[in-house]
Amino acid sequence: MDLPLLLFSPSVPSPSPSPSLSRRLLISQFNSNPLRFKNPRKSFLTRNPSPKIAVVRNSVSEAIEPDNSVNSAIFGGKKQLPGPQALIDGLSPPVRLATSAVFVAGALAAGYGLGFRFGGTRATGLGGAVALGAAGGAAVYAMNACVPEVAAVSLHNYVVGSDDPGTLKREDVEEIAQRYGVSKQDEAFNAELCDLYSRFVSSILPPGHENLKGNEVETILKFKNALGIDDPDAAAVHMEIGRRIFRQRLETGDRDADIEQRRAFQKLVYVSTLVFGEASTFLLPWKRVFKVTDSQVEVAIRDNAQRLYAMKLNLVNRDIDEKTLISLREAQLLYRLSDEVAADMFREQTRKLVEENISTALDMLKSRTRVRETAPVVEELDQILAFNNSLISLSSHPEASRFAPGVGPVSLIGGEYDSDRKMDDLKLLYRAYLADSFSSGRIEEDKLVALNHLKNVFGLGKREAETIMLEVTSKVYRKRLSQVVSSGDLEAATSKAAFLQNLCDELHFDPQKASEIHEEIYRQKLQQSVADGELSDEDVAVLLRLRVMLCIPQETVDAAHADVCGRLFEKVVKDAIAAGVEGYDADVRASVRKASKGLRLKRDAAMTIASKAVRMMFMNYIKRSRAAGSRIEAAKELKKMIAFNTLVVTELIADIKGESTVTTSKPIDVEPEKTEEDEWESLQTLRKTRPSKELEAKLGRPGQTEITLKDDLPERERTDLYRTYLLFCLQGEVTVVPFGAQITTKKDNSEYLLLNQLGGILGLTGKEIVDVHRSLAEQAFKQQAQVILADGQITKARMEQLNEVQKQVGLPAEAAQQVIKSITTSKLQATIETAVSQGRMSAKQIRELKEVGVDVSGMISERLREEIFKKTVTEFFSSGTGEFDEAEIYERIPSDLSINVEKVRGVVHELAKNRISESLVQAVALLRQRKPAEVVSSLNDMLACDKAVPSEPLSWQVPEELVDLFLVYMKNDPPSQKLSRLQYLLGVSHSTLEELQKRLEKGGLANGDEEEAFVF
């Protein structure tokens, strides 16, 4: 497999890559000393803004054992040290320190000697010592300053020279640092660590078109820990690699290359996330640096995790065990794949394994070989069941929480066989396995369990599985039943029902379905027996033996005979009916009798079949009658139906029952119809629908009444048909003669005999027939009575005329009286309404109408009745008698007018209160007009109102006028009670009363002087 490498090349020359490398290395140029920076992390990120990336792909055979050439391709060639650095490389830290001390001391001594020699003084010697000592110190400092660079070169060369970078240990790196006395935080040394880590990570990540192998994270972590690089520095390296990939993607104009770089970036994101774990959220700012969203990061992690987990799942086979599931769980957690996605992938893998078995089984089942072997097919299905059972048992394992998610029964949903077209193939496999389960003639319990699991795996519905089970089990049951019948075991069994029940138990077959098979077998045998049109005694014996062996109930046998023999008998009956009135001859009757007796149908079943056919024929006549253009034509069609019933149906029923028909009535002479005889004789089809003269003479024969249309037509339609023919009997037949004249031919009583037969055909009861006659008679009587009683007045002559009409239509006297009453009542109602509206109707008149039986309440509205009551009360208060009859006002009159009594009292009180003051005003006015008699009448009206509603004393502007009113009333010798009440109402004092009485006794007020005594 190719090994992708992302490389940076140093500035120093490096050895050529190995010939085994498939592509040329792209070497990026660096400075001669790129590791000398103040900040190692910053220097690594900024030292080369656009490094070149070289991708090296090696085959598997070429990369079995890494060699130095491969390490050179990854990390570059070995670096050479200049002379001074090479000298330093050979010194250990103690030696280097001692050498530095000796070198500085020698410089001081040499400077002092030279200064003292040339200056001759101690001061010059000290000056020389300081000068050379400073120069020596500077040289020593420069030598020690390049030690980190030497250590970095030594580390680089060590890594390049190792056989496998993955074998690098942390102790090796620390040993190099200790050997040179440097720290990992040193700028140059740390920069080299980051550079080595960057080159290694780039080499581990595969290119975009290749998938991760799964060991990248572990390898990178191992190398990272070996180098001892800190997480922030390592994260910066990952971000820098991302920048290079991102820049390369922007510089790429090819779409395929762009996709490849995008995939490479996704793999970097995924690997980096796994390397840093939870710290990746703040160490790897993908969103801030590359402007990507959280969902894009999640997609990158999910897609790569799915690819790695899929590689693991590809190793799963049908021999799965606990160890494999635990390893899958560990891999899932390592790859940071969600349980939901992992479960779906695991179920998909198990489904693919099952689909392989299904495809193999289908290929064998559908092979075009002459003899199909079902054993290999069953073997493949057994493998599916074993695999499914293994997964089911593992799902309930005590340590199932440590297993990979998704362990459970296999399902084909979402796979290749999740379609309606493929479902048919799965049904074939299910049927094949089911048929093989019955290979021994019975089915075991374990096979039933296996079939249930197979049904769940295939995704078959309960109804579909039951249908296949029924088909296969029915065939097996028929086969076993044939064997036990042929061998005589069933016939020899003591209890045939128990024998059949045991057979059903062995096959797990529904006894009800078995009974249906028994019925089907019996029907087939019955059809074979009646093939010649009748059942012989031998056939009956065979059928009886079969019925006893199969335990077929009598109801089932009767139903089978009614169905099978009934169809044959129905054909004979329909042929007989189709022959018509003229075609029902001796041959047809013989065929009916033969079928009725030979097919051995029960009378009820035969009559049911005949009734259905006859009623259909009756309905045809009814349809033609409805479609007729006139009532006479409709009646003629009904007449044909009556003839058909008498001459065909009656004979048919007698033949079915085996009876003979005898004509009990003599022929009835029927007048020939006045129609165009030539047309009827020329058209044979029309002539068959019309009874001939000879056949019409036979219509007096009583017709059958067993087959009726009672359940086929509603009562209203049946009565309408009967009424139509009744009108035909009453009105006769109208014949149109030349020049537009019409001749009405009256019918004799023979038509009523046909009407009676029509009532029997229609299934009308006696009451319904009477109702039709009565309604028709009432209608006729009412039409003539309305003409006679046009003005609503009844006279003796008119009553005699109405009685004559009643006898003509045959209407009972009671019904005639009701019609007369309804007519007169309607006329009277119009008269009453007119009188009330004109104000000519009083309560007395209403009482008189009520006494003669007139319901006034239904003729006069409540409002008008209330107006009549008010008018009557007003008349009471204006009568001048001074009396008020409470029983009349409050009871009798409201009863006559049918109004509410409580409401009446309110009306009376209101009228009385208003009328009492009006009566006083009227009395004073009449007093001033010198009309004493009318004054007395007004005062009586006032007293009547006071009786209805007792009043308080009345007031008036001129009190003397009240005394004059009282005097006028007193002179008419009224009853003392009325006089006393009037005194109270007018406010006359006792002294005034005594004075007036004295004057009357003395005659002080003569008639002539009466008017002058009034005070105005």
Side-chain angles (χ1 to χ4, degrees):
M1 184 176 291
D2 295 343
L3 179 65
L5 306 172
L6 299 177
L7 305 176
F8 292 91
S9 62
S11 59
V12 295
S14 60
S16 302
S18 172
S20 62
L21 297 177
S22 60
R23 296 188 181 182
R24 182 175 58 86
L25 298 177
L26 301 179
I27 308 300
S28 61
Q29 302 298 325
F30 293 89
N31 294 327
S32 59
N33 192 4
L35 303 178
R36 190 179 299 276
F37 293 100
K38 297 293 183 180
N39 188 345
R41 186 177 307 169
K42 182 178 179 181
S43 65
F44 174 74
L45 297 176
T46 58
R47 59 182 176 175
N48 193 356
S50 59
K52 302 289 184 176
I53 296 178
V55 179
V56 182
R57 298 177 176 86
N58 292 340
S59 63
V60 177
S61 60
E62 293 171 346
I64 296 177
E65 294 181 2
D67 54 12
N68 293 335
S69 62
V70 175
N71 291 343
S72 299
I74 297 174
F75 302 105
K78 290 187 177 182
K79 298 179 180 180
Q80 301 295 330
L81 292 174
Q85 292 181 356
L87 177 62
I88 295 172
D89 183 45
L91 298 176
S92 61
V95 174
R96 189 173 63 250
L97 181 60
T99 303
S100 298
V102 170
F103 186 78
V104 172
L108 291 173
Y112 183 81
L114 291 175
F116 187 79
R117 179 181 295 180
F118 290 106
T121 63
R122 184 177 181 179
T124 57
L126 292 174
V130 170
L132 288 181
V140 169
Y141 176 80
M143 180 184 67
N144 291 329
C146 67
V147 171
E149 297 180 5
V150 176
V153 172
S154 178
L155 176 62
H156 177 84
N157 293 335
Y158 179 80
V159 174
V160 172
S162 63
D163 295 335
D164 183 7
T167 60
L168 183 67
K169 297 180 180 180
R170 188 183 186 92
E171 293 78 6
D172 298 336
V173 178
E174 292 177 352
E175 182 182 355
I176 294 174
Q178 291 176 1
R179 184 175 47 162
Y180 291 98
V182 297
S183 174
K184 292 182 181 181
Q185 301 301 325
D186 187 81
E187 180 179 358
F189 194 77
N190 193 20
E192 183 61 30
L193 291 176
C194 293
D195 183 66
L196 292 174
Y197 183 71
S198 175
R199 291 174 182 271
F200 185 79
V201 172
S202 299
S203 67
I204 291 299
L205 294 177
H209 65 277
E210 294 183 8
N211 294 327
L212 295 171
K213 301 178 180 62
N215 61 344
E216 289 82 0
V217 175
E218 182 181 359
T219 304
I220 291 174
L221 284 174
K222 183 178 179 181
F223 189 75
K224 172 176 169 294
N225 294 331
L227 292 178
I229 188 171
D230 296 335
D231 285 347
D233 295 335
V237 172
H238 284 260
M239 295 300 294
E240 182 62 26
I241 295 174
R243 290 190 182 93
R244 291 201 299 269
I245 296 175
F246 191 74
R247 285 195 299 269
Q248 207 168 28
R249 177 187 171 190
L250 296 177
E251 295 171 359
T252 303
D254 188 7
R255 180 180 177 183
D256 295 337
D258 179 74
I259 295 174
E260 183 175 350
Q261 295 302 326
R262 184 186 296 111
R263 291 177 179 174
F265 182 76
Q266 289 179 344
K267 283 180 280 192
L268 173 65
V269 172
Y270 174 68
V271 172
S272 303
T273 303
L274 295 186
V275 168
F276 296 101
E278 298 295 335
S280 61
T281 55
F282 57 88
L283 290 177
L284 302 173
W286 304 112
K287 295 185 292 183
R288 178 173 57 81
V289 176
F290 301 103
K291 307 301 180 182
V292 295
T293 62
D294 292 335
S295 60
Q296 290 174 327
V297 175
E298 292 176 359
V299 169
I301 296 173
R302 185 195 62 195
D303 291 348
N304 286 279
Q306 286 180 341
R307 295 188 187 100
L308 291 176
Y309 195 67
M311 294 172 59
K312 281 285 186 179
L313 288 176
N314 290 333
L315 303 177
V316 175
N317 53 27
R318 295 172 185 83
D319 299 329
I320 192 169
D321 54 5
E322 296 87 346
K323 184 178 180 181
T324 304
L325 293 176
I326 293 175
S327 65
L328 286 175
R329 177 64 174 176
E330 293 174 351
Q332 176 217 340
L333 298 176
L334 177 63
Y335 300 152
R336 296 187 65 178
L337 185 65
S338 65
D339 291 346
E340 182 179 358
V341 177
D344 292 339
M345 294 180 67
F346 185 86
R347 284 191 285 265
E348 182 181 0
Q349 176 65 18
T350 58
R351 184 177 65 246
K352 289 180 180 178
L353 295 175
V354 172
E355 287 174 351
E356 293 177 1
N357 293 108
I358 293 175
S359 300
T360 304
L362 283 174
D363 292 339
M364 292 185 292
L365 188 63
K366 294 183 178 181
S367 62
R368 297 184 178 181
T369 56
R370 182 171 300 178
V371 179
R372 295 182 181 179
E373 293 290 339
T374 59
V377 177
V378 174
E379 183 179 353
E380 293 291 334
L381 297 178
D382 285 334
Q383 293 182 10
I384 294 175
L385 292 173
F387 182 52
N388 183 66
N389 293 334
S390 176
L391 292 176
I392 293 175
S393 61
L394 288 173
S395 64
S396 58
H397 195 274
E399 297 184 355
S401 59
R402 298 178 57 194
F403 294 166
V407 178
V410 181
S411 176
L412 299 180
I413 298 176
E416 178 184 356
Y417 291 93
D418 186 15
S419 64
D420 295 338
R421 184 174 60 85
K422 294 293 186 180
M423 183 58 68
D424 296 335
D425 295 338
L426 297 178
K427 290 180 181 178
L428 289 176
L429 292 177
Y430 187 81
R431 182 178 284 103
Y433 192 83
L434 179 59
D436 183 76
S437 301
F438 284 104
S439 58
S440 61
R442 57 185 301 170
I443 188 170
E444 304 296 337
E445 291 292 338
D446 57 342
K447 287 294 184 180
L448 290 175
V449 176
L451 285 167
N452 186 42
H453 288 318
L454 190 62
K455 178 196 73 173
N456 295 333
V457 171
F458 287 170
L460 296 177
K462 182 179 179 181
R463 182 173 300 179
E464 295 172 331
E466 289 178 352
T467 301
I468 298 174
M469 174 70 79
L470 180 60
E471 293 176 1
V472 176
T473 313
S474 298
K475 293 180 180 179
V476 176
Y477 182 78
R478 286 176 180 272
K479 183 178 179 181
R480 290 286 304 276
L481 188 62
S482 176
Q483 292 174 356
V484 296
V485 171
S486 300
S487 62
D489 295 339
L490 179 57
E491 190 172 8
T494 305
S495 175
K496 296 174 177 56
F499 187 91
L500 294 174
Q501 182 64 42
N502 292 334
L503 183 58
C504 292
D505 294 340
E506 290 179 1
L507 300 177
H508 292 272
F509 191 49
D510 186 6
Q512 182 63 33
K513 299 297 182 182
S515 299
E516 295 177 2
I517 293 177
H518 298 166
E519 181 182 355
E520 184 179 353
I521 294 173
Y522 186 85
R523 284 176 175 268
Q524 292 176 355
K525 186 62 178 178
L526 180 60
Q527 289 174 354
Q528 296 174 1
S529 301
V530 298
D532 56 352
E534 60 180 351
L535 282 174
S536 63
D537 295 337
E538 182 180 355
D539 295 333
V540 173
V542 172
L543 290 172
L544 179 60
R545 174 176 171 269
L546 182 62
R547 173 200 163 191
V548 172
M549 281 196 303
L550 299 181
C551 300
I552 303 176
Q554 183 63 40
E555 295 80 4
T556 305
V557 172
D558 294 341
H561 278 264
D563 185 20
V564 177
C565 300
R567 286 198 296 266
L568 298 177
F569 183 72
E570 182 180 7
K571 183 177 182 303
V572 174
V573 171
K574 287 184 177 180
D575 292 341
I577 292 175
V581 176
E582 296 181 351
Y584 196 81
D585 51 13
D587 295 336
V588 176
R589 296 185 63 181
S591 64
V592 173
R593 288 177 178 270
K594 177 184 176 182
S596 177
K597 182 179 180 181
L599 293 175
R600 301 177 186 254
L601 280 173
K602 289 187 176 182
R603 178 172 295 183
D604 294 340
M607 286 299 298
T608 302
I609 296 171
S611 175
K612 181 180 178 181
V614 170
R615 285 186 286 107
M616 289 179 61
M617 197 66 183
F618 283 164
M619 290 302 299
N620 291 334
Y621 281 108
I622 297 296
K623 290 178 182 178
R624 289 200 294 268
S625 175
R626 291 172 178 170
S630 63
R631 186 172 62 249
I632 295 176
E633 295 298 328
K636 288 181 180 180
E637 292 296 333
L638 295 176
K639 189 173 182 179
K640 294 176 186 178
M641 182 178 68
I642 298 170
F644 172 77
N645 178 66
T646 304
L647 301 177
V648 177
V649 180
T650 304
E651 300 291 341
L652 177 66
I653 294 176
D655 294 334
I656 292 174
K657 295 181 178 180
E659 301 173 352
S660 60
T661 58
V662 179
T663 303
T664 58
S665 61
K666 60 182 180 180
I668 301 173
D669 296 331
V670 181
E671 293 183 12
E673 299 179 352
K674 304 300 183 181
T675 56
E676 299 179 1
E677 297 291 336
D678 295 338
E679 181 180 356
W680 283 94
E681 294 297 329
S682 62
L683 297 175
Q684 183 179 2
T685 57
L686 292 178
R687 180 170 56 84
K688 289 184 178 180
T689 61
R690 174 192 176 192
S692 63
K693 297 179 181 180
E694 293 78 7
L695 293 176
E696 287 184 354
K698 301 178 182 180
L699 291 178
R701 180 183 304 172
Q704 62 83 30
T705 57
E706 296 184 34
I707 301 176
T708 66
L709 296 175
K710 183 177 181 180
D711 297 330
D712 298 276
L713 293 174
E715 179 183 352
R716 182 175 179 179
E717 294 188 16
R718 290 185 285 121
T719 54
D720 289 343
L721 292 171
Y722 187 85
R723 183 181 292 106
T724 300
Y725 199 81
L726 177 57
L727 290 173
F728 174 74
C729 296
L730 292 172
Q731 299 176 0
E733 181 179 353
V734 179
T735 304
V736 180
V737 298
F739 304 103
Q742 295 182 351
I743 300 175
T744 302
T745 305
K746 294 292 183 181
K747 298 295 181 179
D748 55 12
N749 293 333
S750 62
E751 293 294 340
Y752 289 93
L753 297 178
L754 300 180
L755 180 64
N756 187 24
Q757 294 183 19
L758 178 62
I761 295 173
L762 296 175
L764 294 174
T765 62
K767 182 179 181 302
E768 292 171 346
I769 292 176
V770 171
D771 291 341
V772 173
H773 282 269
R774 178 177 296 177
S775 64
L776 195 60
E778 287 180 357
Q779 182 180 357
F781 181 78
K782 186 175 182 180
Q783 291 176 354
Q784 299 187 38
Q786 285 177 345
V787 176
I788 296 172
L789 302 174
D791 57 354
Q793 300 296 327
I794 300 178
T795 62
K796 182 177 180 181
R798 290 181 177 180
M799 284 302 301
E800 293 177 354
Q801 190 177 0
L802 290 173
N803 292 334
E804 185 65 24
V805 174
Q806 171 195 344
K807 293 178 181 179
Q808 290 179 359
V809 299
L811 187 66
E814 297 178 358
Q817 290 299 324
Q818 291 179 357
V819 172
I820 294 172
K821 184 177 180 181
S822 65
I823 294 174
T824 55
T825 301
S826 62
K827 297 293 183 180
L828 182 61
Q829 180 178 1
T831 304
I832 292 174
E833 288 179 353
T834 304
V836 171
S837 61
Q838 295 178 357
R840 295 185 287 105
M841 182 64 66
S842 64
K844 182 179 180 181
Q845 293 172 330
I846 291 176
R847 180 175 298 172
E848 293 175 354
L849 291 174
K850 192 173 183 181
E851 289 176 354
V852 297
V854 179
D855 185 11
V856 180
S857 61
M859 301 179 183
I860 306 175
S861 64
E862 183 178 1
R863 183 183 63 81
L864 293 177
R865 283 183 273 123
E866 290 178 356
E867 292 294 333
I868 293 173
F869 178 78
K870 290 181 180 179
K871 180 181 177 182
T872 304
V873 174
T874 303
E875 291 176 355
F876 262 93
F877 290 153
S878 303
S879 62
T881 60
E883 300 296 334
F884 181 78
D885 190 352
E886 293 186 0
E888 180 72 13
I889 298 297
Y890 289 143
E891 296 178 7
R892 288 191 288 273
I893 295 178
S895 176
D896 295 336
L897 296 176
S898 300
I899 57 179
N900 191 356
V901 177
E902 298 298 330
K903 192 173 183 180
V904 161
R905 290 185 178 274
V907 172
V908 171
H909 291 179
E910 183 180 358
L911 290 175
K913 290 178 181 179
N914 296 331
R915 183 61 182 169
I916 193 170
S917 59
E918 293 176 359
S919 299
L920 177 61
V921 173
Q922 185 177 4
V924 172
L926 293 172
L927 178 66
R928 292 175 181 179
Q929 296 177 14
R930 292 176 174 80
K931 296 179 179 179
E934 296 179 2
V935 170
V936 173
S937 178
S938 297
L939 292 176
N940 283 331
D941 293 340
M942 187 173 63
L943 291 173
C945 294
D946 180 67
K947 286 184 179 181
V949 182
S951 175
E952 296 293 331
L954 302 174
S955 61
W956 189 250
Q957 296 177 354
V958 183
E960 291 79 2
E961 290 184 340
L962 298 178
V963 175
D964 291 340
L965 291 175
F966 182 76
L967 179 61
V968 172
Y969 190 78
M970 187 174 61
K971 288 182 66 177
N972 284 276
D973 295 328
S976 59
Q977 185 179 0
K978 288 184 178 181
L979 185 63
S980 174
R981 188 61 184 171
L982 182 62
Q983 176 188 357
Y984 172 77
L985 292 175
L986 296 178
V988 178
S989 61
H990 292 286
S991 61
T992 304
L993 176 61
E994 292 177 356
E995 181 180 355
L996 291 175
Q997 288 177 347
K998 290 178 181 180
R999 292 177 64 183
L1000 286 175
E1001 292 175 356
K1002 294 178 179 181
L1005 291 176
N1007 291 336
D1009 300 332
E1010 182 179 348
E1011 295 180 359
E1012 298 297 333
F1014 294 157
V1015 179
F1016 295 97

